[in-house]
Amino acid sequence: MADARASSASSAAPPTFDEVFCGLLPRLYRRAVMLAGSRQSAEDVVHEAYLKLAARPQRFLAHPEPYAYAFTAVLSVARDAYRKDRRQVLVDGMEGVEEAGAGGGAGAMPGASGGWDGGVERRQAEIEAVRLLGRLSHRQAGIVILVDLDGYTIDQAAKIMKVHRGTAARHRARALDRLRAYLVESEHGQAGR
C-alpha cells in the first residue's frame, strides 16, 4: 500500500523549473529576437534570463503566470545588453532582403502571384517588425509586445512590467505613434525612389 502511494505521489509531482522554462522557450525566443534584434543576441538574452531565474527557481515556479515572469527577466536582460552595446552601430539588414525579394527574382516561383511563397513574406514581415521594435525604447517595445502581440490587456501588461497602468498606456501610445511615424517616413522614402 505504501509503495502504491509513493508511486502515485511521484507521478503527480509538480513540474520542475527546467520543464516549465523549456515549455516557454519557443515563445521567449520569438520575443527576445524582437527585443534584441538578431537570433544570436536573442539566444544570449534568453540564456542570461534562464541563469537569472534559475538562481531563485521557487519564485518562478510560484508565480501565477510563469511566462510573464520570464518575459520580464528577458526584457531586463535585453535592456542591460543594449546599454552595454550602445556604442556599436547596427547595420540595417533589410536592404539585401528587399533587393533580393523585389520584382520576383530567381527565388520566385513561376506563376505564384498571390500564392504561397515558402514563408518569405512572413519572414520579411518579422524582420521588419524586429527593425521597427528596435527603434523603440525597451519599455515601449515590451508594452507593444505584451499588448499587441501576446494579447494582454494594458492592466495586465502594466502589472507584468511593474509600472502604473497610466505609464503603460502612455508608453504604448507613444510607441504606436513612433511606429506610425516610421511607417509614414518609410512610405515617403520608397515613393521618392
Side-chain angles (χ1 to χ4, degrees):
M1 182 76 169
D3 291 335
R5 275 190 242 148
S7 66
S8 68
S10 66
S11 66
T16 66
F17 172 81
D18 286 335
E19 291 171 340
V20 174
F21 193 86
C22 288
L24 299 173
L25 274 178
R27 193 171 175 191
L28 289 173
Y29 276 129
R30 284 192 304 272
R31 299 313 180 218
V33 168
M34 293 178 169
L35 292 169
S38 73
R39 177 175 278 157
Q40 183 178 9
S41 296
E43 289 174 358
D44 292 343
V45 165
V46 172
H47 178 73
E48 288 297 320
Y50 172 84
L51 295 175
K52 192 174 186 179
L53 294 173
R56 293 191 175 96
Q58 66 281 4
R59 285 186 182 178
F60 174 72
L61 293 172
H63 198 276
E65 208 170 336
Y67 168 75
Y69 194 81
F71 178 78
T72 57
V74 166
L75 183 64
S76 174
V77 170
R79 187 177 342 153
D80 292 345
Y82 171 77
R83 287 178 181 156
K84 273 193 246 177
D85 299 336
R86 184 179 288 173
R87 293 186 182 127
Q88 293 181 355
V89 177
L90 297 176
V91 178
D92 187 13
M94 285 300 293
E95 291 176 20
V97 174
E98 288 173 356
E99 291 167 6
M109 293 176 62
S113 60
W116 185 68
D117 64 352
V120 173
E121 188 174 332
R122 178 188 168 122
R123 183 65 185 137
Q124 286 177 335
E126 289 172 355
I127 291 170
E128 181 67 9
V130 168
R131 187 180 70 78
L132 289 172
L133 286 171
R135 300 179 98 177
L136 300 175
S137 73
H138 281 87
R139 201 170 265 186
Q140 289 173 340
I143 293 291
V144 169
I145 288 171
L146 287 171
V147 174
D148 298 302
L149 298 178
D150 288 339
Y152 288 97
T153 65
I154 292 285
D155 291 327
Q156 292 168 328
K159 190 174 180 180
I160 290 167
M161 300 280 295
K162 297 179 181 150
V163 296
H164 189 271
R165 183 200 190 287
T167 303
R170 187 174 61 247
H171 281 305
R172 181 173 176 262
R174 288 180 180 168
L176 295 177
D177 287 344
R178 286 179 76 180
L179 291 173
R180 284 185 198 103
Y182 292 141
L183 290 174
V184 168
E185 178 184 306
S186 68
E187 285 178 10
H188 288 305
Q190 289 177 357
R193 284 185 183 176

